[in-house]
Amino acid sequence: MSVDLATVRKIASLARIATSDAEAEALLPELNNILGWIEQLAQVDTTGVEPLAAVIPNHLRLREDKVTDGGIRDAVLANAPQAEHGFFAVPKVIE
Amino acid sequence: MTDSPYRIQGATGEWEVVIGLEVHAQITSQSKLFSGAATAFGAEPNSQVSLVDAAMPGMLPVPNGECIRQAVRTGLALDAQINRWSRFDRKNYFYADLPQGYQISQLYHPLVGEGSLLIEPEDAAPKTIGIERIHVEQDAGKLMHDQHPTRSYVDLNRSGVALMEIVSRPDMRSPAEAGAYVKKLRSILRYVGSCDGNMEQGSMRADVNVSVRKPGGELGTRTETKNVNSVRFVMAAIEHEAKRQVAVIEDGGTIIQETRLFDPDKGVTRSMRSKEDAHDYRYFPDPDLLPLELDEAFLADALASLPELPDAKRARYEGELGLSAYNADVLTADVETARWFEAMLAEGAPAKAGANWLISELFGALNRLGKTIGESPVSPRQAAELVALVGDGTLSGSLAKQVFELMLETGQDAGVIVEERGLKQTSDTGAIEAEIARVIAANPDKVADYKGGKDKLFGFFVGQTMRAMGGKANPGVVNDLLKKALE
Amino acid sequence: MTNLTDLGVADIRDGVAAGTFSARDVATAFNAAVEQGRALNAWLVETPDHALVAADAADAARASGDLKPLSGVPLGIKDLFCTKGVETTAASGMLKGFVPPYESTVSGKLLNAGAGMLGKLNMDQFAMGSSNETSAFGNVVSPWKRNDGGNAALAPGGSSGGSSAAVSARMAPGATGTDTGGSIRQPAAFTGISGIKPTYGRCSRWGTIAFASSLDQAGPMARDVRDCAILLEAMSGFDAKDATSLDLPVPAWEKGLSADLKGKRVGVPKEYRVDGMPPEIEALWQQGIAYMKDAGAEIVEVSLPHTKYALPTYYIIAPAEASSNLARYDGVRYGLRDLPDGANLQEMYAATRADGFGAEVKRRIMVGTYVLSAGFYDAYFTKAQKVRALIVRDFEHAFTQCDVLLTPTAPSAAFGLGEKSDDPLAMYLNDVFTVPSSLAGLPAMSVPGGLDTQGLPLGLQIIGRALDEQGVLNAGLAIEERAGFTARPGQWW
């Protein structure tokens, strides 16, 4: 299965990566090359095989319900490109 | 009770409405689903945010056991299948309230599977609504649009708070059924203690899926109206959306599967353009988390911790306590009321009289004062004493009302008020007979009319006698003596 | 007196403890080496003061008699590890200027054990690459040169190319690396040093910038096997902040070192004899087998039938996880923001991510987004997780017949910078021997096995059972003792 230019644009949009026409055209053969190569997995018989869930046997530990974090607003905002009045600021969103 | 189904009347005939609800309920917990930051409502912006909630590079989620336990208890309360093996998935999309660029949720293997909920809508037959699943997920942060002309502000305090998404089957057919479903679900969540059910603060909100079809026909395309935050709005949103869909179809249009928003001020739903392109969520198992495996001991503990649920409690109130169906229903609808009532019983109040008093007197007073039962100025112990004073004849009904008013004002116990203010009812026949004689002497014409057949005047004599006794006479005794005197 | 920068981790630790030299002298010597080696572009940030402060603390600790396991040892830290107060970028323009208010568990453990930090090491951007050419801050140059008299600049391997170059050029006695599909082992092989990726879950991932969560593991890179054991002990251990961390005690790997392989069976997987493998690699492998026999091991041929599917499996799973892990770089909370005039929020995301990510990172995000997208998830991602389960089974079966596996680390010696950067697929194929054990979460290490005819180092890889780092280290030590690898790059910088 190979992708076309429209698909490349759609994927770039889903991934939120601005892509010029020239970039999309350059990506097209690269992606098709990679996708064509990974498609060889279709050859493997995986009948009755469960997808891997955990690579090393281990179980999910559950945390106690205690407040152990927070109250670090300055640290949280320290690297923000734009922070105002204790908030992160972004271009106005129309909902 | 009527069986006539809810229908939208269109130009081409009647339409049936098909409704499914996805209720997002905030799980009651101290800390967030995957971080140790607090969940309290109303904190300063970004003050309850950990580095995990802000999705700083290299941060990892660790699940909160209490949130899992509460979701399991909720599932058990809804007679649902609890999955011993479940898993968290990532739902990928970009939005400013979603720091990770994905929401940790459960798509492929939810914690709770199929269950059911019995609803009893007003004026309609009881009905069992299927629960499809309950999964656990993170809440998003909050965007403020009104603080700056060209910017939106992001507060991540809610980011990562635990939610249960309770997904119903599309089993509801009217706004009333949907309203009853939300109310009943909220009641159960509050009984279980897994969610405070506070819709105003957003701890419970519903996504409403609505489609219309000709009765019994093929299912239509549905729309999803997001984040509706009251029972009334749920019902209004369904009604508007169903009518809108009928109008669109009858005008020759088609319904687009889309996300909509309910505008409570205008009572209408409208399309949410901002989320239009977010359809491909690319769910996959979160590789930062292992599968969640629950052992039997965990489930047994969860089950053992469940309280008596509203349906069982109501049946017991009717069957064992002999309450009327109406009273049993009112007392069990909300867990706080039931707890209050049972505390009264524990203080020795008789069930029937206690129930009547609570529903007529206490509810009336609380209504006037604008308080909830949890904020009642009178305690269950004080209430039990008051009801007991009526039961043993110390207080008449009207005296009890007076005493209760004074209790609300002063916070004093009923016994103290009765003693200090001499409000005890009297059965002193001599004093009562003397007053009756005076009333009869003062109203010869009324006595003549009564004797001539105007039975209704008996109430007049009772009233006059009681007034003369300062309201303290035992009404039974007054009745008996008046009857004799007027023979 | 010996040149202090010729010393490894154990020598420095022991020398400081014995008072042979001061920790400050060691730190000063390495700080100077770092400065002198700038032509290699191995460091993104130099932190000489940090190294000196830690050294002074070590000298004081010696005086007061409470030395820690790594007192006096200065290290290089790969820039994937968040370091409190020190810029951390994952070699990406996306994180230029990002100063974490927190310390990764792994780097924190090393610092708490007394180590100092010489600086932050260059790498492939977000650990995506096998040559270090994807760094936004210029590629690292290998200290090694071919012996053909030419002056071709060679790749130090990747993604931990700054780490491999720094250790091999004697700018640091040891460094941290991370390994997702071979990013510790391949650069170690390319530069004639040792490096181990432990069992998945041994090292906490908390505070390490994520590439592919189900594969990422930190590990040490150092001059020899003993130094790797020492550093790995300090880096490993349970961390409640990482849900995939293994709640197990850390074995005393250094104490357990033994080059005696009597009674051990060494498996040689026949599927690793790939088409077009250079004869020199085959010869190296045979030499490794001979070393193992000499150490007392029995050699058995084993089969890992799904080996050829490991790379395509990896190049579905790793990009899929990465596409999601890297969604947080959106210009809102940290790092780069590109807000074109009049752009809305979604346009800001797209512009920021287009500017901030390098070409290879974007390529992998695109592939990952595609394989997870509606209609393709089962065909690609689910299928890959099934094949991954088969690859795990292959190893489990092989380990019923042997104790460790011996393979080459990479299909070639270091290639020239620019030789493969135009062909992503050719670059991916470089990980053919390292990726299968990553998919299975197994401990694996590379040790130098010898030089090729051009005078470049070649590495041998040992893969062990889950949690058997000791078996891996011991087999590595057996090779190290026999190979007698002493070659080092001539100092041209």
Side-chain angles (χ1 to χ4, degrees):
Chain A
M1 205 174 338
S2 65
V3 299
D4 55 16
L5 212 50
T7 309
V8 171
R9 289 209 183 86
K10 192 191 122 206
I11 297 297
S13 161
L14 262 182
R16 294 298 185 278
I17 296 174
T19 306
S20 68
D21 288 349
E23 286 166 329
E25 273 166 38
L27 270 166
L28 184 63
E30 285 178 3
L31 292 182
N32 274 325
N33 205 10
I34 295 167
L35 294 172
W37 172 67
I38 62 181
E39 264 164 23
Q40 61 179 292
L41 284 196
Q43 301 161 8
V44 186
D45 181 3
T46 51
T47 316
V49 179
E50 282 297 313
L52 191 82
V55 64
I56 299 295
N58 196 354
H59 69 279
L60 186 61
R61 285 177 308 276
L62 299 176
R63 212 179 79 232
E64 257 189 273
D65 184 26
K66 282 190 181 154
V67 177
T68 56
D69 210 337
I72 48 166
R73 180 159 83 183
D74 290 349
V76 163
L77 296 174
N79 282 282
Q82 193 170 40
E84 290 168 7
H85 315 299
F87 296 96
F88 297 101
V90 297
K92 195 159 196 98
V93 178
I94 317 293
E95 273 181 310
Chain B
M1 200 177 281
T2 156
D3 282 341
S4 75
Y6 178 84
R7 292 287 186 258
I8 301 284
Q9 205 60 50
T12 62
E14 292 193 326
W15 294 81
E16 183 183 27
V17 188
V18 177
I19 305 153
L21 294 176
E22 294 165 20
V23 172
H24 299 261
Q26 179 179 336
I27 301 176
T28 302
S29 66
Q30 299 299 308
S31 61
K32 294 183 179 179
L33 180 55
F34 293 114
S35 88
T39 58
F41 182 77
E44 284 292 299
N46 291 308
S47 64
Q48 293 180 168
V49 179
S50 75
L51 300 170
V52 177
D53 307 321
M56 301 299 270
M59 292 300 101
L60 298 171
V62 181
N64 180 340
E66 175 65 6
C67 298
I68 305 301
R69 195 181 78 93
Q70 291 291 20
V72 166
R73 293 176 75 241
T74 305
L76 291 169
L78 294 169
D79 286 327
Q81 166 81 32
I82 308 298
N83 294 321
R84 269 67 168 172
W85 193 98
S86 68
R87 203 167 55 179
F88 289 101
D89 300 304
R90 292 185 183 175
K91 177 182 185 178
N92 294 283
Y93 65 94
F94 288 89
Y95 205 58
D97 61 7
L98 191 72
Q100 294 160 130
Y102 55 85
Q103 176 195 33
I104 306 179
S105 180
Q106 299 187 298
L107 175 71
Y108 298 109
H109 298 276
L111 179 58
V112 180
E114 298 221 29
S116 64
L117 182 66
L118 179 74
I119 60 166
E120 289 146 288
E122 280 177 46
D123 302 326
K127 183 172 178 180
T128 298
I129 305 299
I131 305 283
E132 187 183 309
R133 56 189 281 153
I134 303 176
H135 62 257
V136 176
E137 63 185 21
Q138 302 174 292
D139 203 352
K142 205 172 160 195
L143 286 181
M144 322 274 182
H145 306 298
D146 50 3
Q147 319 240 331
H148 190 280
T150 60
R151 289 171 206 149
S152 291
Y153 285 156
V154 187
D155 174 12
L156 298 179
N157 279 349
R158 283 197 71 83
S159 165
V161 165
L163 302 177
M164 293 179 275
E165 182 170 332
I166 303 160
V167 183
S168 84
R169 296 260 172 220
D171 288 349
M172 286 157 275
R173 294 291 178 273
S174 69
E177 288 184 4
Y181 172 87
V182 175
K183 278 190 203 158
K184 184 65 174 287
L185 185 60
R186 184 172 57 185
S187 164
I188 290 184
L189 296 179
R190 286 168 50 79
Y191 264 80
V192 169
S194 56
C195 171
D196 67 19
N198 192 330
M199 295 185 92
E200 297 77 53
Q201 292 181 358
S203 22
M204 203 174 143
R205 51 192 196 260
D207 295 347
V208 183
N209 290 297
V210 174
S211 64
V212 296
R213 63 177 176 186
K214 286 293 168 103
E218 293 275 301
L219 276 178
T221 303
R222 64 185 167 86
T223 62
E224 182 179 22
T225 303
K226 288 264 187 204
N227 286 335
V228 186
N229 66 355
S230 84
V231 174
R232 198 159 54 84
F233 293 163
V234 165
M235 295 170 67
I238 292 168
E239 189 164 350
H240 173 269
E241 181 57 18
K243 284 181 177 157
R244 186 192 69 86
Q245 290 186 11
V246 167
V248 168
I249 297 169
E250 290 189 335
D251 277 357
T254 49
I255 302 301
I256 314 160
Q257 184 162 348
E258 62 173 351
T259 302
R260 300 180 69 83
L261 207 62
F262 180 67
D263 181 338
D265 296 331
K266 299 190 182 121
V268 302
T269 66
R270 60 180 167 84
S271 186
M272 256 177 110
R273 267 170 234 95
S274 60
K275 294 207 172 170
E276 244 172 29
D277 61 347
H279 291 318
D280 196 342
Y281 291 126
R282 290 159 284 134
Y283 279 98
F284 76 109
D286 191 329
D288 285 333
L289 295 162
L290 299 157
L292 173 59
E293 293 170 274
L294 301 179
D295 58 27
E296 295 308 314
F298 185 95
L299 297 183
D301 281 354
L303 188 60
S305 74
L306 280 189
E308 185 182 34
L309 294 170
D311 288 352
K313 200 180 275 298
R314 188 178 55 183
R316 181 167 65 83
Y317 283 9
E318 280 191 65
E320 288 180 22
L321 304 181
L323 303 190
S324 68
Y326 174 80
N327 278 3
D329 195 43
V330 170
L331 290 177
T332 55
D334 183 73
V335 66
E336 289 239 40
T337 309
R339 275 195 204 126
W340 215 95
F341 175 62
E342 290 181 14
M344 253 179 95
L345 299 189
E347 293 288 344
K352 280 190 197 175
N356 284 331
W357 179 85
L358 194 159
I359 291 169
S360 55
E361 303 301 328
L362 181 64
F363 275 2
L366 293 174
N367 234 347
R368 260 189 287 128
L369 298 171
K371 289 186 191 283
T372 67
I373 196 161
E375 301 158 347
S376 166
V378 167
S379 73
R381 182 191 59 73
Q382 290 178 303
E385 185 192 359
L386 177 63
V387 173
L389 289 173
V390 176
D392 69 9
T394 309
L395 292 176
S396 64
S398 58
L399 273 181
K401 282 185 205 288
Q402 279 185 50
V403 172
F404 180 45
E405 284 306 319
L406 290 166
M407 288 168 75
L408 290 171
E409 275 170 32
T410 64
Q412 284 182 307
D413 287 358
V416 174
I417 292 170
V418 168
E419 275 312 313
E420 286 183 358
R421 313 206 179 199
L423 288 175
K424 226 179 220 167
Q425 137 177 297
T426 176
S427 303
D428 177 347
T429 49
I432 296 172
E433 277 169 342
E435 292 302 335
I436 286 175
R438 250 169 255 148
V439 169
I440 287 175
N443 296 287
D445 46 340
K446 293 237 166 57
V447 172
D449 287 355
Y450 176 79
K451 289 187 172 167
K454 276 197 155 179
D455 291 353
K456 281 184 185 160
L457 279 169
F458 188 73
F460 164 79
F461 295 111
V462 173
Q464 291 294 310
T465 309
M466 289 299 282
R467 184 180 298 167
M469 291 294 295
K472 285 183 260 179
N474 181 325
V477 175
V478 170
N479 274 2
D480 290 349
L481 295 176
L482 257 176
K483 271 187 190 145
K484 267 188 221 159
L486 288 168
E487 262 169 20
Chain C
M1 187 171 166
T2 20
N3 189 346
L4 291 174
T5 56
D6 282 344
L7 300 177
V9 172
D11 292 339
I12 294 169
R13 173 192 68 184
D14 297 343
V16 167
T20 315
F21 40 76
S22 72
R24 179 163 258 272
D25 288 345
V26 174
T28 305
F30 277 106
N31 280 341
V34 168
E35 200 181 320
Q36 205 194 339
R38 284 180 185 156
L40 301 181
N41 198 31
W43 304 86
L44 294 177
V45 182
E46 296 171 9
T47 55
D49 292 343
H50 192 291
L52 289 175
V53 168
D56 290 345
D59 288 330
R62 180 181 181 269
S64 62
D66 42 25
L67 284 165
K68 297 178 186 173
L70 292 176
S71 284
V73 180
L75 297 172
I77 303 295
K78 187 179 181 179
D79 205 33
L80 206 59
F81 296 89
C82 288
T83 42
K84 189 171 184 172
V86 178
E87 186 182 16
T88 301
T89 63
S92 178
M94 184 60 93
L95 281 172
K96 183 105 191 75
F98 174 64
V99 179
Y102 51 96
E103 185 78 35
S104 81
T105 298
V106 162
S107 56
K109 276 175 174 282
L110 289 168
L111 302 182
N112 285 337
M117 178 166 69
L118 293 162
K120 300 298 294 288
L121 290 160
N122 202 349
M123 53 183 282
D124 276 302
Q125 187 167 154
F126 283 105
M128 297 178 190
S130 305
S131 66
N132 225 287
E133 289 164 291
T134 72
S135 168
F137 308 112
N139 57 269
V140 178
V141 182
S142 173
W144 291 84
K145 296 281 186 195
R146 292 189 181 115
N147 61 9
D148 56 8
N151 197 28
L154 300 178
S159 67
S160 311
S163 306
S164 67
V167 172
S168 138
R170 270 60 178 175
M171 292 190 281
T176 60
T178 62
D179 192 313
T180 305
S183 282
I184 287 175
R185 292 161 285 164
Q186 184 255 23
F190 276 18
T191 56
I193 65 169
S194 297
I196 181 167
K197 175 195 94 72
T199 308
Y200 181 81
R202 278 280 194 207
C203 286
S204 167
R205 294 183 296 113
W206 192 90
T208 307
I209 295 174
F211 162 15
S213 310
S214 76
L215 294 152
D216 295 344
Q217 263 300 289
M221 300 169 76
R223 224 70 59 68
D224 62 25
V225 172
R226 174 173 301 273
D227 287 0
C228 283
I230 293 168
L231 294 175
L232 186 59
E233 265 182 63
M235 295 163 73
S236 299
F238 174 63
D239 181 4
K241 292 188 285 188
D242 174 359
T244 61
S245 172
L246 291 167
D247 191 1
L248 295 171
V250 179
W253 286 309
E254 186 193 8
K255 271 207 187 95
L257 285 175
S258 162
D260 181 358
L261 301 185
K262 274 193 205 74
K264 298 287 179 194
R265 291 165 303 168
V266 174
V268 177
K270 62 180 181 189
E271 289 82 3
Y272 280 53
R273 201 158 279 120
V274 294
D275 290 345
M277 185 155 85
E280 282 182 311
I281 300 293
E282 175 62 36
L284 167 83
W285 199 0
Q286 290 309 322
Q287 183 61 65
I289 291 169
Y291 291 151
M292 292 296 204
K293 281 187 191 157
D294 185 58
E298 180 195 341
I299 305 298
V300 290
E301 188 182 82
V302 297
S303 174
L304 298 166
H306 296 91
T307 297
K308 73 175 277 208
Y309 299 109
L311 271 177
T313 298
Y314 176 87
Y315 276 98
I316 291 171
I317 292 171
E321 293 183 6
S323 72
S324 178
N325 283 336
L326 271 62
R328 65 188 58 201
Y329 304 104
D330 59 9
V332 174
R333 294 166 314 286
Y334 42 76
L336 182 76
R337 166 181 290 193
D338 186 348
L339 180 59
D341 273 351
N344 66 24
L345 177 72
Q346 299 294 344
E347 288 158 355
M348 178 186 93
Y349 289 159
T352 299
R353 292 164 61 80
D355 271 12
F357 291 138
E360 180 61 21
V361 174
K362 287 189 224 178
R363 195 147 42 224
R364 295 200 196 188
I365 291 175
M366 294 280 284
V367 169
T369 303
Y370 181 72
V371 300
L372 290 176
S373 65
F376 300 104
Y377 173 74
D378 281 329
Y380 288 107
F381 189 80
T382 308
K383 182 76 178 181
Q385 290 290 26
K386 288 180 179 177
V387 177
R388 189 175 181 186
L390 291 174
I391 289 166
V392 170
R393 270 189 224 173
D394 282 356
F395 278 109
E396 283 169 358
H397 183 254
F399 282 124
T400 63
Q401 298 160 15
C402 64
D403 298 298
V404 291
L405 295 163
L406 177 69
T407 79
T409 305
S412 72
F415 45 83
L417 288 166
E419 267 175 32
K420 291 181 197 256
S421 49
D422 291 340
D423 183 354
L425 217 47
M427 189 69 90
Y428 298 171
L429 295 174
N430 216 260
D431 298 332
V432 61
F433 299 138
T434 49
V435 152
S437 45
S438 288
L439 287 169
L442 300 173
M445 100 176 284
S446 178
V447 293
L451 297 174
D452 73 355
T453 50
Q454 295 185 305
L456 296 180
L458 297 172
L460 282 165
Q461 175 180 234
I462 301 116
I463 303 167
R465 291 192 183 97
L467 305 178
D468 188 22
E469 284 81 3
Q470 191 73 66
V472 171
L473 290 161
N474 287 355
L477 187 65
I479 292 173
E480 181 180 283
E481 288 186 355
R482 283 161 185 80
F485 187 89
T486 53
R488 55 186 285 184
Q491 188 162 343
W492 52 264
W493 55 89

